[in-house]
Amino acid sequence: MNTTSACNINLWLNHNPGLQPEVVAGLWDADRDAMPHDRILSSIVVTHMDQFHPALAQASHCEVEGHFDTAQSYVQWALGFATKHGINTILPSRFSEALIANKQAFEAQGVTILHACGEQELAVAENRPALYRCLTEHGEGAWVPKHAIWKDNYSVRLFEVVQGLKETSCALTDDSFCVLPATGQLSDRLFKFVDHVDPWHALEASPERVITIGDFGQMAHSHALKLKMNNEWVVMKHMPNVTFTVDCLAWNGELLTQVSRVEDSQGRPGQVVLDNPDLKSHVKCIANLFKMTGVFSVKFLKDSDGSLKVLCVNTGLPGSIQMSALAGVALPWLWLKLHASHGYYRKIPTAVAGLRLDQEMHSVVYRTPLKTMVEMSRSGI
């Protein structure tokens, strides 16, 4: 592993659809607020496919990423880009699996690719059926929602899978069901099954995505191809209650800190920090199970009986990670600091329960003028 020294991290954040400008600003702020001997950042380079993405303006240097036909062609470009700009640390998003698979090539030129877990663990953690099997095998089955797997190869009709799931438990016969991708770009996106789609639903801008079983079965295959996902879908009971998100930092499988948050129950904008022992216990188990070393997040749904069920594990840099920074826990910066100190840094803060977080409260001062950014992108930089 590259032994990046303190005060010398030249960080690259590559294209991340969910990257918010507050994440980059939060890295700068955390480094500025640290004691002088704890500061680690020399530069932050951000690349993005959207030439007008606001996160670009927070960077020391920004560029627009182009189109790449293959993951390997992106890896070759990334190797040259890292050399050209003196990058020594990458927090990847786009083509992250390919970059991690080629980490030795990067390490040979002094570049460390940070990832929260190993390649084998990653393959399980971010594939919902494999994740659910793993949790069940390790005694955590109570956290796994009742579910079934459907493959859109037309060998079994989606309607038959839903019916079979209903028949496994009388308690589910009157419940609504939903489907979501087993893995891929939209693996935490639920589609609720309804008998009929009400046209008013779209006009009311409801956050729920509703579709009939028949319509979904017809569009699933082309949808998976478009998003480059596999053809597996997870069918489970629809849990319309709030989503809990737990942002975590671990090192060698040990959970160091976490920020549990939930949408404001009063309907106000923002989220509320929780002190929930059950959530802490489960993310601690996941950190140990997958030997997490870095930042990851876990989403939970609340069933009608009050029990919590795992929705997904995200081992990348979550798009909403800035919410934890608002709670006073700058997880990405802490990850970098742990990396720079080889895991010895232990000034790890905890979030205060009951704190209400509102992303709109966090103002951003742009470090690169927008006009300059636009000129850079138009000139092909």
Side-chain angles (χ1 to χ4, degrees):
M1 179 179 292
N2 177 40
T3 56
T4 303
S5 60
C7 301
N8 193 34
I9 288 183
N10 297 312
L11 177 67
W12 176 18
L13 302 173
N14 73 342
H15 172 77
N16 182 341
L19 181 64
Q20 299 296 323
E22 291 85 0
V23 174
V24 187
L27 282 166
W28 286 120
D29 291 344
D31 202 61
R32 179 201 62 206
D33 294 341
M35 297 294 290
H37 62 274
D38 282 331
R39 292 172 186 163
I40 52 174
L41 288 174
S42 292
S43 66
I44 302 177
V45 174
V46 178
T47 55
H48 206 281
M49 296 178 69
D50 178 1
Q51 63 182 14
F52 300 112
H53 196 280
L56 293 172
Q58 297 298 310
S60 309
H61 175 78
C62 60
E63 290 194 19
V64 177
E65 287 194 19
H67 171 75
F68 294 87
D69 292 326
T70 65
Q72 196 56 40
S73 64
Y74 185 89
V75 169
Q76 292 304 313
W77 170 79
L79 283 165
F81 183 89
T83 299
K84 178 181 178 181
H85 297 286
I87 303 298
N88 56 26
T89 308
I90 304 175
L91 274 175
S93 178
R94 187 185 187 192
F95 290 115
S96 60
E97 292 184 10
L99 292 172
I100 294 169
N102 288 271
K103 63 182 180 181
Q104 290 184 344
F106 285 90
E107 289 173 352
Q109 61 184 48
V111 181
T112 296
I113 298 178
L114 295 183
H115 47 103
C117 60
E119 293 177 63
Q120 292 183 343
E121 290 83 3
L122 175 65
V124 174
E126 297 203 346
N127 180 292
R128 185 170 287 102
L131 171 66
Y132 287 169
R133 285 194 300 270
C134 181
L135 292 176
T136 301
E137 290 169 0
H138 287 82
E140 299 293 323
W143 294 83
V144 175
K146 192 75 175 179
H147 67 284
I149 306 300
W150 175 65
K151 295 188 177 183
D152 58 30
N153 56 9
Y154 305 108
S155 59
V156 178
R157 291 193 307 157
L158 178 57
F159 177 80
E160 294 173 0
V161 174
V162 175
Q163 286 300 114
L165 188 57
K166 285 183 178 182
E167 292 170 2
T168 60
S169 174
C170 296
L172 295 179
T173 53
D174 295 327
D175 288 316
S176 299
F177 289 83
C178 65
V179 65
L180 62 166
T183 186
Q185 181 181 337
L186 303 179
S187 61
D188 62 348
R189 187 163 295 182
L190 296 165
F191 298 85
K192 180 184 177 183
F193 291 139
V194 293
D195 294 330
H196 172 72
V197 177
D198 184 352
W200 287 100
H201 187 274
L203 294 177
E204 293 171 352
S206 171
E208 281 191 329
R209 301 172 183 86
V210 298
I211 193 169
T212 66
I213 292 178
D215 287 344
F216 187 88
Q218 293 177 12
M219 57 76 67
H221 186 64
S222 60
H223 178 75
L225 288 177
K226 179 180 178 182
L227 296 177
K228 298 181 180 179
M229 301 183 303
N230 61 25
N231 66 340
E232 280 192 334
W233 300 83
V234 175
V235 182
M236 65 183 189
K237 176 183 174 181
H238 182 250
M239 290 172 274
N241 294 299
V242 294
T243 301
F244 298 82
T245 302
V246 187
D247 298 323
C248 308
L249 175 67
W251 197 260
N252 291 333
E254 177 191 357
L255 182 69
L256 300 181
T257 190
Q258 54 80 39
V259 181
S260 302
R261 46 192 173 86
V262 67
E263 296 173 0
D264 193 318
S265 60
Q266 303 300 316
R268 295 171 295 190
Q271 300 182 354
V272 177
V273 176
L274 300 174
D275 182 11
N276 186 311
D278 289 337
L279 290 173
K280 287 182 184 179
S281 173
H282 194 59
V283 295
K284 183 177 180 180
C285 174
I286 288 178
N288 179 64
L289 187 59
F290 293 100
K291 305 304 177 190
M292 296 292 191
T293 297
V295 172
F296 68 99
S297 68
V298 186
K299 286 190 176 182
F300 298 85
L301 295 175
K302 192 173 185 179
D303 206 345
S304 55
D305 62 1
S307 61
L308 293 167
K309 306 295 182 183
V310 175
L311 177 62
C312 63
V313 175
N314 182 1
T315 60
L317 196 62
S320 60
I321 198 71
Q322 74 274 9
M323 299 299 283
S324 292
L326 293 179
V329 186
L331 293 174
W333 184 88
L334 289 167
W335 185 4
L336 293 172
K337 183 61 182 177
L338 281 163
H339 160 64
S341 68
H342 307 287
Y344 288 106
Y345 186 75
R346 282 297 186 270
K347 300 176 185 176
I348 310 295
T350 56
V352 178
L355 185 66
R356 191 172 73 86
L357 311 174
D358 187 345
Q359 184 174 333
E360 298 302 322
M361 295 177 179
H362 190 62
S363 61
V364 174
V365 178
Y366 289 102
R367 299 171 186 273
T368 303
L370 184 59
K371 180 181 177 182
T372 304
M373 252 175 52
V374 174
E375 289 173 348
M376 289 169 61
S377 60
R378 286 176 177 170
S379 65
I381 296 178

